[in-house]
């Protein structure tokens, strides 16, 4: 196998100072008799031909750049470079070179063309010594100056010497005077040489030269020189843009002249780096590192000066929150804060702490609450960016503010609810802003994030987590889920769950995108909030509503709904499992699988994976429910063994139950439900005692409510009485009239009755009720459950020694009536 560590590209520098690719091969260091020394050899990986043979001379200056580059000069005008595929290979060859030259491999430059004694003499020379003789600054000498500047760029010490000479002689100002002369004379050749000279001086990477070039006196002439790129047919108009198009806006007049000058300078230098200078090649990136640092420290200085001017910032905040401020002015103020926060990212962590605390003390969050609710899209986008800086800096600070705010304000105007409403109302068809806001909400409700912000005082974390999540679920969750509940509400009145009614969810793509975002956030809550989201799902019957979206024509939305259920099942929480069984919530999932037919797609794979998880994890209550109710519809699916595996698990469990019952004396078998009576049966009893027709009422009791030990005898007696009543009731086959005038039907819970004679139909079609006139009952919603009619409880598992009547009257589907 080829050693990729030694794989390199060979480059040579051409006359135009551009790097030419000479080919790809593998490098080695070996002794070459002909060259009388250790040499670098590169052989082409295609045919093994020799791409490079270079002796490692003791006086050659090798440079290591960016961990994977080695650059050196063979002769005065012949520069070479090796670009390694892997850092390890570069380090290995670099060690060989340093070993030959007797250098420490930690250095990045072995030496210059001059020997060490000359280098030491250079360091000892006074700054006024002219180590490079510059040509006289005349138009006729511009070509010679340009050649000199470009020739020294490959040598670090020669760059130092040239920079020192340029600085000591005031040479840059003389060159800029020549620029004005050449421009007046329309001397295009001289202007092209000046472009090369000024560009080369920038690549010298010296901060002292930048101070001169970027001064108010010189910077526009520097920009002018850089307009005359010889590679372009016509010069650019950068100066016109900077002086006429770009306008400096002062939201509040800046009285500090030094601060104004620094702002102007930073903008212009940033323009030079980003717009004027060409993108540096891989070998030139380090040449502009000092320019980047120059801009960086300018921004730090600007932020520090503004932060120290409390009068200025106070005035900005006052105008931002003043109702009398016109929209244009407010837009400028928000854009100022956005840029201000962007500049703050250059600060060190300690200084950034101080910066955001200053903004918080001045009232940045109440101000954002106002501007995020404005109609102006540009203002809202800028406010969102500012909010993202604050959340990224300190989620705890934002959480603390909104909890304090909740004590004084209505839910509608809380900052987090304003953020949620902006997410819901995003007009962008691709919901770009909504995606950004969803990410911020996710950060704010992440318990791990709460732990990270208070790891010094653990007790504080516990308080923050419990308090904030209580606040969020009490004051904000209803706003977040409002679109989801609104777009699935028709099902409760007009559709049977699992049916293919097109009215179940909207086919509007933007709405589907929004619902997918909300489901993604709710799925995150299921994974991380456990107690709070469990109560919310139960009280709102949320999973049933979410699964209505399985009928959407947008597959991505159906997959989001399925993923939500998958996360719930993945918790292996029996409380969730009982909720799913009672509500027959597998029905829409199985209908989607059957409707998908033989198509092998993501929906098919996701549904199969869900059932495979239940089989592998051996979730008994769900396995029994699936096999009892849906196996007839699923047994024809043989391209995977998932459903046969579930059937096998089901039968194995029944065998185990038989063995246990056979080992127990018959007089004790009537007490086999004892394990559930104190908690399970009473909780289930309360489930059916809730008013199901009232929208928003609890479907099940909150998680924290459970029966005490003292209630056990009474509960057991009630259970036995209700069980006897059920057995007598099951003998009747005729439907009974309900309080609303309709009929309540009971159906056998066996696989045959659940699936009907025709297994090609969807599950919903098989179990749909028929009214007295032969048509489907319009306002009826049937759900196969593990419980019989209201007030009656049975075990989740059928036992083999049940009476014949009990076997025929196994768990029923309960009727849900629309309001």
């Amino acid at each position: 196998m080829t050693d990729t560590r030694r794989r390199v590209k060979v480059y040579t520098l051409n006359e135009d100072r551009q790097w030419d690719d000479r080919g790809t091969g593998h490098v080695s260091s070996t002794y070459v008799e002909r060259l009388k020394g250790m040499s670098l050899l590169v052989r082409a990986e295609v045919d093994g031909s020799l791409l490079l043979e270079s002796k490692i001379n003791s006086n050659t200056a090798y440079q290591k750049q960016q961990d994977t580059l080695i650059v050196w000069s063979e002769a005065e005008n012949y520069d070479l470079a090796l670009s390694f595929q892997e850092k390890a290979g570069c380090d290995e060859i670099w060690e060989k070179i340093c070993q030959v030259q007797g250098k420490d491999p930690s250095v990045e430059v072995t030496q210059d063309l001059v020997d060490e004694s000359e280098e030491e003499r250079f360091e000892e020379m006074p700054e006024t010594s002219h180590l490079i003789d510059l040509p006289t600054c005349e138009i006729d000498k511009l070509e010679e100056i340009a050649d000199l500047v470009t020739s020294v760029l490959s040598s670090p010490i020669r760059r130092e010497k040239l920079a020192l000479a340029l600085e000591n002689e005031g040479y840059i100002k003389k060159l800029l005077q020549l620029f004005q002369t050449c421009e007046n004379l329309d001397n295009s050749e001289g202007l092209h040489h000046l472009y090369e000279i000024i560009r080369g001086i920038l690549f010298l990477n010296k901060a002292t030269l930048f101070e001169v070039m970027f001064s108010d006196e010189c910077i526009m002439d520097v920009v002018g020189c850089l307009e005359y790129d010889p590679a372009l047919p016509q010069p650019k108009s950068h100066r016109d843009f900077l002086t006429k198009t770009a306008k400096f806006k002062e939201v509040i007049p800046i009285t500090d002249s030094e601060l104004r000058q620094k702002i102007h300078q930073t903008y212009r230098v940033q323009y030079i780096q980003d717009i004027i200078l060409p993108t540096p090649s891989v070998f030139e990136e380090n040449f502009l590192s000092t320019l980047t640092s120059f801009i960086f420290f300018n921004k730090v200085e600007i932020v520090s000066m503004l932060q120290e001017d409390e009068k200025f910032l106070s005035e900005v905040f006052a105008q931002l929150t003043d109702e009398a401020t016109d929209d244009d002015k407010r837009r400028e103020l928000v854009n100022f804060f956005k840029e201000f926060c962007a500049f703050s990212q250059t600060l060190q962590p300690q200084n950034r702490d101080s910066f955001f605390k200053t903004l918080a003390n001045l009232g940045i969050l109440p101000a954002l609450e106002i501007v995020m609710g404005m109609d102006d899209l540009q203002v809202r986008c800028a406010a969102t960016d500012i909010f993202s800086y604050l959340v990224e800096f300190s989620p705890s600070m934002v959480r603390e503010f909104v909890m304090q705010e909740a004590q004084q304000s209505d839910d509608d105007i809380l900052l987090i609810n304003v953020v949620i409403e902006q997410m819901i109302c995003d007009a962008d068809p691709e919901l770009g802003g909504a995606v950004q806001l969803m990410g911020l909400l996710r950060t704010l409700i992440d318990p791990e994030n709460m732990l990270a912000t208070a790891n010094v005082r653990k007790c504080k974390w516990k308080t923050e987590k419990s308090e904030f999540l209580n606040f969020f679920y009490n004051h904000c969750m209803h706003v977040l889920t409002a679109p989801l509940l609104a777009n699935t509400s028709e099902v409760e009145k007009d559709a049977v769950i699992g049916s293919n009614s097109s009215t179940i969810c909207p086919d509007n793509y933007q709405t589907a995108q929004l619902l997918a975002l909300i489901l993604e956030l709710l799925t995150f809550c299921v994974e991380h909030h456990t107690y709070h989201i469990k109560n919310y799902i139960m009280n709102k019957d949320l999973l049933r509503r979410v699964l209505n979206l399985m009928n959407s024509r947008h597959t991505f939305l159906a997959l989001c709904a399925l993923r939500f259920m998958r996360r719930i099942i993945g918790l292996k929480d029996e409380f969730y499992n009982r909720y799913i069984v009672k509500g027959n919530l597998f029905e829409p999932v199985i209908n989607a699988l059957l409707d998908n037919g033989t198509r092998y797609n993501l929906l098919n794979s996701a549904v199969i994976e869900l059932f495979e998880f239940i089989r592998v994890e051996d979730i008994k209550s769900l396995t029994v429910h699936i096999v009892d109710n849906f196996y007839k519809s699923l047994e024809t699916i043989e391209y995977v063994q998932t459903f046969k595996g579930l059937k096998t698990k089901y039968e194995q469990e029944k065998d185990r139950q038989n063995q246990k019952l056979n080992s127990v004396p018959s007089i004790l078998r009537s007490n086999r439900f004892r394990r559930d009576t104190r908690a399970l049966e009473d909780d289930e009893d309360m489930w059916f005692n809730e008013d199901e027709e009232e929208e928003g009422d609890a479907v099940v009791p909150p998680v924290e409510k459970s029966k005490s030990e003292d209630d056990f005898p009474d509960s057991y007696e009630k259970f036995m009485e209700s069980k006897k009543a059920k057995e007598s009731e099951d003998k009747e086959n005729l439907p009974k009239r309900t309080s609303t005038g309709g009929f309540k039907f009971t159906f056998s819970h066996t696989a045959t009755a659940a699936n009907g004679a025709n297994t090609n139909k969807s599950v919903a079609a098989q179990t749909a009720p028929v009214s007295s006139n032969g048509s489907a009952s319009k306002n009826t919603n049937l759900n196969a459950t593990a419980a019989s009619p209201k007030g009656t409880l049975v075990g989740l598992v059928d036992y083999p020694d049940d009476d014949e009547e009990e076997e025929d009257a196994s768990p029923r589907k309960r009727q849900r009536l629309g309001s």
Side-chain angles (χ1 to χ4, degrees):
M1 184 175 178
T2 304
D3 185 2
T4 57
R5 291 183 308 164
R6 298 289 189 91
R7 192 168 185 266
V8 296
K9 277 186 176 292
V10 181
Y11 292 92
T12 58
L13 193 66
N14 60 30
E15 295 179 354
D16 297 327
R17 310 301 296 171
Q18 300 295 322
W19 291 95
D20 295 331
D21 186 352
R22 293 302 185 187
T24 302
H26 293 84
V27 63
S28 62
S29 59
T30 186
Y31 184 85
V32 178
E33 182 64 31
R34 183 174 58 82
L35 298 177
K36 304 296 183 185
M38 291 293 293
S39 304
L40 297 176
L41 302 180
V42 179
R43 294 193 177 276
E45 65 178 359
V46 177
D47 55 9
S49 60
L50 195 63
L51 294 178
L52 175 69
E53 184 180 60
S54 174
K55 181 181 178 181
I56 305 175
N57 291 312
S58 58
N59 59 351
T60 299
Y62 291 87
Q63 300 176 53
K64 184 182 177 186
Q65 301 177 4
Q66 302 176 23
D67 295 332
T68 56
L69 284 172
I70 297 178
V71 184
W72 73 97
S73 297
E74 289 273 295
E76 186 172 348
N77 292 317
Y78 187 62
D79 293 349
L80 289 162
L82 295 179
S83 176
F84 289 78
Q85 180 174 328
E86 296 185 10
K87 179 180 181 295
C90 183
D91 292 341
E92 187 177 338
I93 296 300
W94 184 251
E95 287 180 8
K96 295 288 186 183
I97 293 171
C98 292
Q99 182 181 349
V100 172
Q101 295 197 341
K103 300 292 183 181
D104 185 348
S106 63
V107 301
E108 293 186 351
V109 180
T110 57
Q111 55 189 294
D112 197 57
L113 294 175
V114 295
D115 59 25
E116 291 185 9
S117 60
E118 185 175 349
E119 185 176 347
E120 291 171 1
R121 289 198 302 274
F122 167 71
E123 291 175 353
E124 294 171 359
M125 288 180 181
E127 293 184 355
T128 55
S129 299
H130 290 213
L131 299 178
I132 289 184
D133 291 328
L134 295 171
T136 55
C137 200
E138 300 173 357
I139 293 179
D140 295 340
K141 300 287 186 179
L142 287 176
E143 183 176 2
E144 184 180 348
I145 298 170
D147 291 340
L148 173 64
V149 172
T150 54
S151 67
V152 304
L153 295 179
S154 60
S155 170
I157 291 184
R158 293 179 69 194
R159 289 204 304 268
E160 290 285 344
K161 294 176 182 178
L162 179 59
L164 190 59
L166 291 171
E167 183 182 349
N168 290 337
E169 297 184 12
Y171 207 78
I172 292 176
K173 290 185 178 180
K174 295 177 183 178
L175 287 172
L176 296 178
Q177 289 174 358
L178 284 183
F179 164 72
Q180 295 175 1
T181 303
C182 288
E183 195 169 41
N184 291 334
L185 296 174
D186 200 16
N187 184 345
S188 58
E189 184 180 358
L191 292 170
H192 290 161
H193 290 316
L194 281 165
Y195 169 87
E196 298 290 349
I197 294 168
I198 295 299
R199 181 175 177 271
I201 293 175
L202 287 172
F203 282 165
L204 292 178
N205 213 21
K206 292 294 291 183
T208 51
L209 298 181
F210 292 162
E211 293 290 349
V212 177
M213 297 173 75
F214 300 147
S215 64
D216 287 347
E217 180 185 356
C218 299
I219 191 167
M220 295 310 293
D221 286 334
V222 170
V223 172
C225 291
L226 295 173
E227 290 179 351
Y228 292 92
D229 185 349
L232 300 176
Q234 295 293 329
K236 296 289 186 178
S237 303
H238 297 304
R239 285 172 292 177
D240 285 346
F241 176 83
L242 290 173
T243 56
K244 297 176 183 177
T245 306
K247 300 296 183 183
F248 177 58
K249 295 181 179 179
E250 295 181 78
V251 291
I252 302 292
I254 298 175
T255 56
D256 189 336
S257 59
E258 182 184 355
L259 176 58
R260 287 170 59 90
Q261 187 274 334
K262 191 68 68 176
I263 293 172
H264 284 301
Q265 183 188 62
T266 303
Y267 177 80
R268 291 165 180 169
V269 176
Q270 187 85 61
Y271 183 85
I272 290 173
Q273 184 187 46
D274 294 344
I275 306 299
I276 300 179
L277 289 178
T279 303
S281 70
V282 69
F283 302 105
E284 297 173 334
E285 287 182 355
N286 291 334
F287 289 171
L288 293 175
S289 59
T290 305
L291 181 62
T292 303
S293 299
F294 184 90
I295 297 170
F296 174 86
F297 288 113
N298 263 20
K299 290 180 177 180
V300 170
E301 197 169 346
I302 290 170
V303 172
S304 300
M305 294 172 75
L306 284 172
Q307 187 179 343
E308 291 168 2
D309 190 346
E310 293 185 4
K311 182 179 179 182
F312 174 83
L313 289 179
S314 299
E315 181 64 23
V316 172
F317 274 106
Q319 291 199 23
L320 186 63
T321 55
D322 189 353
E323 294 181 359
T325 304
D326 62 71
D327 291 345
D328 291 338
K329 182 70 171 179
R330 184 172 278 108
R331 187 182 305 114
E332 291 177 2
L333 289 164
V334 173
N335 285 330
F336 162 77
F337 268 117
K338 175 185 172 181
E339 193 167 0
F340 194 27
C341 291
F343 272 33
S344 73
Q345 301 307 296
T346 61
L347 297 174
Q348 295 298 316
Q350 185 176 357
N351 295 333
R352 198 180 308 143
D353 257 8
S354 173
F355 169 78
F356 281 110
K357 284 177 181 176
T358 300
L359 292 186
N361 293 335
L362 289 169
I364 185 67
L365 288 169
L368 282 179
E369 196 170 53
I370 295 173
V371 297
M372 288 188 79
M374 295 179 61
D375 295 332
D376 191 315
L377 178 61
Q378 186 179 351
V379 170
R380 292 204 309 270
C381 290
T384 300
D385 289 337
I386 297 170
F387 185 64
S388 69
Y389 284 121
L390 294 169
V391 171
E392 180 183 352
F393 162 70
S394 176
S396 288
M397 180 181 74
V398 179
R399 286 192 284 261
E400 184 178 356
F401 168 78
V402 296
M403 284 192 290
Q404 292 175 353
E405 182 187 31
Q407 300 172 4
Q408 306 168 358
S409 306
D410 295 333
D411 286 359
D412 293 342
I413 59 174
L414 294 178
L415 177 59
I416 289 192
N417 285 345
V418 171
V419 171
I420 294 173
E421 287 167 6
Q422 292 303 316
M423 182 182 84
I424 293 171
C425 301
D426 188 6
D428 180 7
E430 297 299 326
L431 298 183
V435 172
Q436 182 185 10
L437 290 170
M438 192 272 288
L440 297 176
L441 285 172
R442 182 171 175 155
T443 301
L444 288 173
I445 64 175
D446 187 355
E448 295 297 324
N449 176 279
M450 297 175 198
L451 176 62
T453 56
N455 54 10
V456 178
R457 293 166 57 189
K458 197 168 183 179
C459 59
K460 179 183 175 183
W461 165 71
K462 290 181 180 178
T463 302
E464 181 185 23
K465 177 181 177 181
S466 59
E467 286 187 359
F468 182 76
L469 291 182
N470 282 334
F471 156 80
F472 183 78
Y473 281 85
N474 288 331
H475 298 276
C476 308
M477 184 57 98
H478 67 282
V479 182
L480 178 65
T481 57
L484 179 63
L485 299 177
N487 283 286
T488 56
S489 60
E490 294 182 16
V491 176
E492 296 297 320
K493 299 177 183 178
D494 301 324
V496 177
I497 190 163
S499 71
N500 294 321
S501 171
S502 61
T503 62
I504 286 181
C505 65
D507 285 336
N508 178 276
Y509 176 76
Q510 189 169 350
T511 303
Q513 286 275 71
L514 175 62
L515 296 180
L517 281 179
I518 294 172
L519 280 176
E520 184 178 343
L521 203 57
L522 291 175
T523 303
F524 176 83
C525 293
V526 167
E527 290 180 304
H528 294 85
H529 293 174
T530 58
Y531 166 76
H532 294 85
I533 189 65
K534 184 190 295 184
N535 272 344
Y536 193 83
I537 289 172
M538 300 296 180
N539 292 337
K540 295 294 183 184
D541 200 9
L542 189 63
L543 181 56
R544 181 188 305 279
R545 307 289 285 270
V546 168
L547 290 175
N548 293 333
L549 301 177
M550 293 292 295
N551 296 305
S552 173
R553 70 183 180 91
H554 300 286
T555 306
F556 71 86
L557 183 56
L559 287 168
C560 285
L562 184 62
R563 184 160 56 246
F564 181 70
M565 185 180 191
R566 172 65 177 80
R567 289 293 183 273
I568 290 175
I569 293 175
L571 296 175
K572 297 188 284 187
D573 185 327
E574 275 304 310
F575 205 95
Y576 274 132
N577 294 344
R578 292 198 300 273
Y579 164 64
I580 291 170
V581 169
K582 287 177 183 297
N584 193 28
L585 298 183
F586 277 110
E587 186 172 351
V589 176
I590 292 174
N591 280 343
L593 177 65
L594 297 177
D595 291 342
N596 192 58
T598 58
R599 290 190 292 273
Y600 179 60
N601 52 23
L602 188 55
L603 180 63
N604 174 276
S605 299
V607 174
I608 295 294
E609 191 278 335
L610 172 66
F611 289 105
E612 181 67 13
F613 175 83
I614 295 171
R615 185 191 70 81
V616 171
E617 296 296 327
D618 196 14
I619 305 176
K620 294 180 175 57
S621 56
L622 298 184
T623 301
V624 170
H625 173 70
I626 294 165
V627 174
D628 276 346
N629 290 275
F630 307 112
Y631 186 70
K632 284 292 184 182
S633 295
L634 298 172
E635 64 180 348
T636 57
I637 299 177
E638 296 181 344
Y639 53 87
V640 291
Q641 299 302 307
T642 298
F643 301 108
K644 288 186 177 179
L646 284 171
K647 178 72 169 177
T648 302
K649 292 275 187 183
Y650 171 82
E651 291 172 348
Q652 291 172 350
E653 179 62 22
K654 294 200 78 170
D655 289 342
R656 279 194 292 269
Q657 294 293 340
N658 285 338
Q659 292 172 6
K660 288 181 181 179
L661 288 171
N662 291 334
S663 65
V664 176
S666 59
I667 195 170
L668 299 177
R669 291 180 189 176
S670 59
N671 291 329
R672 63 182 177 274
F673 287 94
R674 165 169 268 167
R675 58 187 175 84
D676 293 323
T677 52
R678 282 178 292 180
L680 176 61
E681 266 72 287
D682 282 319
D683 280 345
E684 291 173 348
D685 196 18
M686 292 178 68
W687 169 289
F688 291 103
N689 289 332
E690 296 292 337
D691 184 2
E692 294 181 357
E693 295 181 358
E694 184 176 346
E695 180 68 21
D697 282 357
V699 178
V700 294
V703 178
E704 68 272 13
K705 294 182 180 179
S706 62
K707 293 292 182 182
S708 65
E709 297 289 336
D710 295 334
D711 292 336
F712 170 71
D714 292 340
S715 300
Y716 187 73
E717 290 174 4
K718 290 179 180 178
F719 163 72
M720 295 303 296
E721 290 175 2
S722 61
K723 185 172 185 294
K724 291 177 181 178
K726 176 194 79 70
E727 289 174 352
S728 61
E729 183 186 72
D730 286 343
K731 295 179 181 179
E732 299 177 9
N733 293 323
L734 294 176
K736 297 182 179 180
R737 186 173 297 275
T738 64
S739 59
T740 57
F743 288 95
K744 172 176 280 190
F745 293 84
T746 56
F747 290 82
S748 174
H749 200 54
T750 62
T752 304
N755 293 283
N758 186 357
T759 58
N760 294 325
K761 298 290 185 180
S762 70
V763 178
Q766 296 161 19
T767 60
V770 178
S771 64
S772 58
N773 61 5
S775 60
S777 180
K778 183 178 180 181
N779 294 321
T780 305
N781 188 10
L782 294 179
N783 299 279
T785 69
S788 60
K790 200 167 187 177
T792 308
L793 297 172
V794 295
L796 291 177
V797 180
D798 291 334
Y799 292 91
D801 63 339
D802 287 343
D803 294 334
E804 290 299 324
E805 291 181 358
E806 184 175 345
E807 289 179 0
D808 293 336
S810 55
R812 304 296 186 208
K813 289 194 172 186
R814 63 186 176 86
Q815 182 182 24
R816 292 195 58 172
L817 300 178
S819 58

